[in-house]
Amino acid sequence: MILILDFGSQYTQLIARRVREARAYSEIHPYHLPVEKIRALQPRGIILSGGPASLYETGAPDIADEALGLGCPVLGICYGMYVIARHLGAHSAGAAAREYGPATLTIDENDPLFAGLEAREQRVWMSHGDRVERIPAELCPIAHTDNSPYAAVRSRDGRLRGIQFHPEVAHTPNGAQILRNFVLGICGEAGDWTMAGFVETKLAEIRNRVGPRDRVLMALSGGVDSSVAAALIHRAIGDRLRCVFVDTGLLRAGERARMERTFAGELGIPLRIADAADLFLERLAGVLDPEQKRRIIGHAFIDVFEREAAAIGGARFLGQGTLYPDVIESVSFKGPSATIKSHHNVGGLPERMRLELIEPLRELFKDEVRAAGRELGLGSDAVDREPFPGPGLAVRIVGEVTRERLELLRRADAIVIEEIAAAGLGRRLWQAFGVLLPLKTVGVMGDGRSYESVIALRAVESQDGMTADWARLDPDFLARLSSRITNETRGVNRVVYDITSKPPATIEWE
């Protein structure tokens, strides 16, 4: 396996993803993982991630000398490069000109890290304000940019390497090849890890953890993540899994009927419906802050699941379809990454819970979850479904959540779903939905003045949900959506289109 030590980069999981794309198993752990635990993992190679800190500042995160001396190859990326350089006696400092964005890397030496790259000059993505300014005799430079004289370095024995740029992001066109060169060529990984191997590993973990008399209560939302997690846990423990679908009152139109029809009917896993709309709406009454909404929803879910666990009897665990994007935006799970927002199933959970969590997909991206679902034999209806937030329409209503506002958004949302399907845009778009804004505007309807609500349309394209770009939809299509929403959704007289990417925005509005 390849061990990734996380120094807090928002893109650490992209490194793991690129390693997996090279068909090598990878794990992410915090940068301060004890050396004895690193030895126990027996990694073929170690990658040190980037991070937001400056190494020359007081208290900057660092690793023990022993971690760099275990004998396996080590690659430092951006901040990770500074760590390696400092341990070998190099000097780093704040650069006179920061590099954020594309840069031209000039390769100075035919290092195995750059094997197969035909051009001496490579387009790379930089995101740093520091640079290595002097290196000791133990290091030799292998590439540079106009702003960074030591944009890539290698130890004289060929075991340690550092690169200033980020090969894990799509903006470095040959970055995946560079990481493959490190993983397969320098570290000597076989490149035979598959999603089938991941599934078998997780099945063994679940069986090892869940005792022969224990039951697992599965929090089933009907989305891709929880469906795949349920199928995985069900394969591991069979009928000791109990799936519960909570009708929160925050669902899309027809969602409960779809669950009863497709999940229970087609997948053959018993489904229990918990009616809790009144509970969720009562707790959300008067709440405006999105973080508070998510916490309230997370706590309400746990209250419902603990009640259901008591009714079923013997349930010790709660299964969830938590993914890594949820984790990295909610808490510093693996390293010192910044908290973006609390997801209801991560940062929104109460500190004390009677049920232990089982989250077999916690370190996967959405596309990897889909691959796992196909490996488990799930059909397209479950695997290819558009992501839908666990808090439901509550985080698509900016401001207070009421029954009236929910019904208004639910009608508009149904139109969006219908039109996206009719236009055949489902496979192109990562998500498409409407957001109810907390304002009203003046309009003219039927030769009279109207003063009604505004719906914002959001449609994005993405591979993994960590970054996303707004979709350039055909103006005629947008016009048809606007016309249908304003004509068929009583209470809406204006439709706007969100043209913001992630970052700086998130996909959901709250």
Side-chain angles (χ1 to χ4, degrees), residues 380-440:
S380 178
D381 182 62
V383 172
D384 295 323
R385 193 164 189 254
E386 174 190 305
F388 184 67
L393 298 179
V395 293
R396 293 179 179 174
I397 294 177
V398 181
E400 185 178 7
V401 178
T402 66
R403 293 183 189 275
E404 295 73 24
R405 300 190 80 205
L406 277 165
E407 285 306 313
L408 190 152
L409 179 58
R410 196 173 281 123
R411 288 195 298 270
D413 181 72
I415 294 170
V416 174
I417 295 172
E418 290 174 12
E419 291 294 334
I420 291 294
L425 292 170
R427 289 195 174 274
R428 171 188 165 187
L429 300 178
W430 176 264
Q431 279 177 277
F433 53 88
V435 178
L436 179 60
L437 303 188
L439 67 151
K440 294 186 176 182

Side-chain angles (χ1 to χ4, degrees), residues 241-273:
L241 175 70
R242 294 289 187 271
C243 293
V244 175
F245 175 75
V246 181
D247 187 345
T248 62
L250 311 171
L251 305 174
R252 282 178 154 177
E255 183 64 16
R256 175 170 174 166
R258 188 193 75 85
M259 285 295 298
E260 293 174 320
R261 181 180 67 253
T262 62
F263 194 88
E266 295 177 15
L267 298 183
I269 301 177
L271 181 65
R272 183 181 177 98
I273 305 291

Side-chain angles (χ1 to χ4, degrees), residues 320-402:
Q320 290 194 142
T322 307
L323 302 193
Y324 191 79
D326 300 339
V327 173
I328 200 168
E329 288 186 343
S330 297
V331 293
S332 299
F333 174 60
K334 290 293 189 183
S337 53
T339 299
I340 306 302
K341 61 183 177 183
S342 297
H343 287 260
H344 75 288
N345 56 337
V346 187
L349 295 179
E351 292 183 6
R352 293 185 179 181
M353 294 170 49
R354 290 195 292 271
L355 297 172
E356 299 177 38
L357 291 178
I358 289 185
E359 299 170 311
L361 312 178
R362 189 180 177 98
E363 295 187 6
L364 294 186
F365 279 115
K366 181 74 71 173
D367 59 330
E368 294 175 320
V369 172
R370 296 188 200 279
R374 295 186 185 97
E375 184 66 33
L376 290 163
L378 298 184
S380 178
D381 182 62
V383 172
D384 295 323
R385 193 164 189 254
E386 174 190 305
F388 184 67
L393 298 179
V395 293
R396 293 179 179 174
I397 294 177
V398 181
E400 185 178 7
V401 178
T402 66

Side-chain angles (χ1 to χ4, degrees), residues 44-60:
R44 284 283 185 90
I46 297 174
I47 298 177
L48 310 182
S49 82
S54 292
L55 192 64
Y56 58 85
E57 294 178 351
T58 302

Side-chain angles (χ1 to χ4, degrees), residues 15 28 63 70-71 92 112 158 160 175 185 211 268 282 316 335 347 362 397 399 412 417 427 429 472 494:
I15 303 173
I28 300 172
I63 61 175
L70 297 176
S92 301
L160 308 179
E282 287 171 6
R316 175 185 166 193
R362 189 180 177 98
I397 294 177
I417 295 172
R427 289 195 174 274
L429 300 178
R472 275 66 168 173
R494 191 179 300 271

Side-chain angles (χ1 to χ4, degrees), residues 190-256:
D192 57 1
W193 182 80
T194 63
M195 187 53 70
F198 170 83
V199 168
E200 290 304 315
T201 298
K202 288 301 175 182
L203 289 174
E205 288 179 4
I206 294 168
R207 289 167 182 153
N208 185 59
R209 186 178 177 195
V210 179
R213 296 183 179 180
D214 293 329
R215 290 182 177 178
V216 177
L217 189 72
M218 182 68 208
L220 192 65
S221 70
V224 178
D225 312 332
S226 63
S227 296
V228 173
L232 186 60
I233 297 172
H234 185 258
R235 180 172 292 189
I237 64 171
D239 60 8
R240 285 183 290 130
L241 175 70
R242 294 289 187 271
C243 293
V244 175
F245 175 75
V246 181
D247 187 345
T248 62
L250 311 171
L251 305 174
R252 282 178 154 177
E255 183 64 16
R256 175 170 174 166

